[in-house]
Amino acid sequence: MRFRPCIDIHNGKVKQIIGGSLKDMGDQAEENFVSELGAEAYARLYQKYGLKGGHIILLNGKSSPYYEETRNQALQALRCYPGGLQLGGGITVENAAEYLEAGAAKVIVTSYVFRNGEVDFEHLEKLSKEVGRENLVLDLSCRKKEEKYYIVTDRWQQFTKVILEEKSLELFSRYAEEFLIHAVDVEGKASGIEEGVVNLLGEWGKLPMTYAGGIRSMEDLQKLEALGKGQIDFTVGSALNLFGGQLEFAELVQRF
């Protein structure tokens, strides 16, 4: 289990938000933290400590007036730390190679591989073939509904019909080398981990996976390690002192 850092960019700013509050209309989100630093500064910090496999997420849709500003922040971070950070947000077969050439270690995709709530296998196969399975991360972020965890898309606003379970993990593992999973119901709330999601991932455990959502303390990380059988990496957002929280970045770097 290792610590993977993050850079979330919304309206051209590095932010930490409450994940379930994100809305395309008006580019709204409930904010926990808005940084005075650009994405480049965080990339340099992560590079200084040799942290690899973290992710940059663009939280604005392409129709947003803030999209280009958000995208430019992401590109600056990639240029500062080439090969050190993954990038997600609006990835398609048309632009994936561009981000890899710009310095992304891997590209992260969700919405492009779903259509009308179902898996779009044509898109998934095309993208996996275009960039290579080894360069593709599937974002299987989920929300709970009727006691099951459903994958959500379009910046976590839309439920798909696809349940996060062993069967779907097996299916997606044919196309991508890694998964990123935000437990959206607790994302940004620093209220504790979504144990059901962590337990599910730990039981499967066949690919590298990064969990995000609700982590607020070392006790949460101990629970994550136990339930995830030491196989799940993690990222910390709002609870990290870099983003106004209490968990010390230096301690996570040292311990994980």
Side-chain angles (χ1 to χ4, degrees), residues 148-179:
K148 294 181 180 179
Y149 294 103
Y150 285 84
I151 295 170
V152 290
T153 65
D154 301 299
R155 291 161 298 287
W156 310 323
Q157 296 169 79
Q158 303 296 326
F159 275 88
T160 71
K161 300 172 186 176
V162 183
I163 299 170
L164 185 69
E165 57 186 351
E166 183 174 331
K167 180 180 177 182
S168 57
L169 292 170
E170 289 285 350
L171 171 65
F172 290 127
S173 69
R174 302 175 195 169
Y175 302 96
E177 193 175 72
E178 190 174 324
F179 298 144

Side-chain angles (χ1 to χ4, degrees), residues 83-97:
L85 295 162
Q86 303 169 359
L87 183 135
I91 297 296
T92 67
V93 74
E94 287 79 21
N95 65 16

Side-chain angles (χ1 to χ4, degrees), residues 40-51:
E40 174 183 350
Y42 291 95
R44 291 191 187 281
L45 177 67
Y46 302 155
Q47 183 182 43
K48 176 182 176 181
Y49 285 93
L51 298 172

